[in-house]
Amino acid sequence: MKIVKVIVFCVVSLFVCGCAKQNNCRTFDMTTHDFDRWDQLVSVEKYIVLEETDNSLLSGVDKCVIGDSAIYAFCRKFDKVYKFSLEGKFLSTVGEKGRAKSEYLGISDIAYDQSSGDLVVADSRGLLWYDSSLKFKKRMAMDDVALFDFSSEGDILFYGQDSRYSVTCLKNGKIAGVRDKTGYAFFSDVFYRNQEETMVVSDYGQFFIDRYKDGKLSRIYEFDMGQDALPENMRPLSSPEFEKVDDMEDYFKCLQRACETKTWLYTEFRGPHHCIYKGYINKKSGQVFFGKAPFDEAYGIVGTYQDQFYALLYPEYVGENSYMRKFVVDNGLQDVHNPVVIFLKLNEKL
């Protein structure tokens, strides 16, 4: 009898603990997605024009990170990383192309290591570290690094690196699985930093955000897409299946980007009819502003800096009737070809 009581107690304890852990996860209702008053919600507080020189003409930026003293812009087309001052002055490119240990070929991602101030570049042969003066420090040999980032604990997280796991980590010199692979690896902006925490966006066909800590993931946000969510049995397992599913007119396919400040959570979804939907969620009030992203606004949020969202704006693509047009004209940006880093302010009284 005593053994039975102990077993029952353990089962009940595990159930209670599991529920407590689940209760720490917030769920947001995203079933209403017709918000369109972006001009009333979002405004530009300040901006930085990335200087155009013969050596810094950017046709597009695939990733932009802001460090303690510089802005780094990665352009996949030119296979280069550009360094700008925090005022936008072009300083130099990072490293050199080539096959030497200190050189790179085929850049796939960049990340800023906040603990050391180093810029780390992923290429076809692994990771390269450059200090704040862009002096080469070291290389870590690895195969097929696609996406990576650092945790506050000094671990390195990887996405799409393993056939069994979608997310792995390098901890204490060893690679370990962090999230089981459940479908096709879709390479979006999987990782972001929230203060001192590293967050991991869900895989294709799922809608949640996890927090990484000490080699494990715990669920922190879930997004209820209702009947518009891609059904579980339709999640692609291969490249041909992915192309077929992603080309469908129906369903929200995935959460492809997220970042957050102390007050706001920004989310970006691949939605129905090949459209991008964005959502701003006030974490204090629970308000959700979710709707189709206007194509002619010509900017995309890429991260946070000093508790503020920043985005890359392409002035020449801002539409004549876009709510961003007045900002472009008022600041004389019509003829600027390089991206402009804009810092956004959100209206908490809407």
Side-chain angles (χ1 to χ4, degrees), residues 84-130:
F84 298 85
S85 72
L86 293 179
E87 293 72 42
K89 180 178 176 58
F90 173 65
L91 300 177
S92 66
T93 53
V94 178
E96 297 289 340
K97 288 185 182 181
R99 299 187 179 276
K101 181 179 180 180
S102 62
E103 298 173 335
Y104 58 80
L105 282 175
I107 298 174
S108 57
D109 198 8
I110 63 173
Y112 181 74
D113 186 352
Q114 295 179 351
S115 63
S116 64
D118 294 339
L119 179 75
V120 185
V121 175
D123 77 345
S124 57
R125 297 176 296 159
L127 302 178
L128 301 89
W129 273 256
Y130 299 90

Side-chain angles (χ1 to χ4, degrees), residues 84-213:
F84 298 85
S85 72
L86 293 179
E87 293 72 42
K89 180 178 176 58
F90 173 65
L91 300 177
S92 66
T93 53
V94 178
E96 297 289 340
K97 288 185 182 181
R99 299 187 179 276
K101 181 179 180 180
S102 62
E103 298 173 335
Y104 58 80
L105 282 175
I107 298 174
S108 57
D109 198 8
I110 63 173
Y112 181 74
D113 186 352
Q114 295 179 351
S115 63
S116 64
D118 294 339
L119 179 75
V120 185
V121 175
D123 77 345
S124 57
R125 297 176 296 159
L127 302 178
L128 301 89
W129 273 256
Y130 299 90
D131 66 17
S132 58
S133 64
L134 300 188
K135 180 180 179 181
F136 173 76
K137 293 178 66 175
K138 64 178 180 179
R139 171 184 278 277
M140 178 186 294
M142 296 189 75
D143 294 329
D144 302 322
V145 176
L147 298 172
F148 76 102
D149 208 343
F150 293 89
S151 76
S152 58
E153 305 158 4
D155 304 339
I156 307 178
L157 296 170
F158 300 94
Y159 182 79
Q161 191 81 3
D162 190 273
S163 60
R164 179 179 174 185
Y165 302 100
S166 62
V167 180
T168 54
C169 72
L170 177 63
K171 186 178 181 66
N172 299 324
K174 296 181 179 180
I175 294 286
V178 176
R179 177 191 287 164
D180 289 338
K181 189 174 182 179
T182 58
Y184 181 77
F186 177 69
F187 296 100
S188 59
D189 287 344
V190 178
F191 307 113
Y192 72 90
R193 296 292 292 273
N194 177 28
Q195 307 302 319
E196 295 301 317
E197 298 178 326
T198 302
M199 315 299 281
V200 187
V201 171
S202 55
D203 297 338
Y204 190 90
Q206 300 176 71
F207 306 93
F208 59 81
I209 296 173
D210 289 335
R211 176 196 290 121
Y212 175 84
K213 186 176 182 180

Side-chain angles (χ1 to χ4, degrees), residues 236-283:
L237 300 175
S238 63
S239 182
E241 289 182 5
F242 166 76
E243 292 178 3
K244 181 179 179 180
V245 170
D246 203 57
D247 197 46
M248 293 175 60
E249 294 287 333
D250 303 322
Y251 305 121
F252 282 95
K253 312 302 193 307
C254 70
L255 172 62
Q256 68 175 22
R257 176 180 288 113
C259 53
E260 60 186 299
T261 65
K262 292 178 182 178
T263 302
W264 292 91
L265 171 62
Y266 172 76
T267 55
E268 191 174 293
F269 298 82
R270 294 175 74 85
H273 307 290
H274 312 290
C275 294
I276 300 300
Y277 285 72
K278 59 182 182 179
Y280 293 90
I281 301 170
N282 188 314
K283 295 185 292 184

Side-chain angles (χ1 to χ4, degrees), residues 18 53 65 67 78 91 94 118 170 190 235 259-260 272 292 341 345 347 349:
T53 71
V65 296
F78 298 139
L91 300 177
V94 178
D118 294 339
L170 177 63
V190 178
R235 293 177 190 167
C259 53
E260 60 186 299
K292 189 183 300 183
V341 182
K345 182 179 179 180
N347 180 8
K349 298 180 179 180

Side-chain angles (χ1 to χ4, degrees), residues 33-66:
H33 40 77
D34 57 0
F35 182 82
D36 60 2
R37 293 178 292 150
W38 304 113
D39 59 323
Q40 299 177 35
L41 179 65
V42 182
S43 60
V44 179
E45 189 166 71
K46 59 181 179 179
Y47 68 93
I48 302 171
V49 177
L50 299 181
E51 182 183 18
E52 297 178 26
T53 71
D54 290 341
N55 296 314
S56 65
L57 293 175
L58 303 174
S59 62
V61 172
D62 293 274
K63 189 168 184 179
C64 176
V65 296
I66 302 180

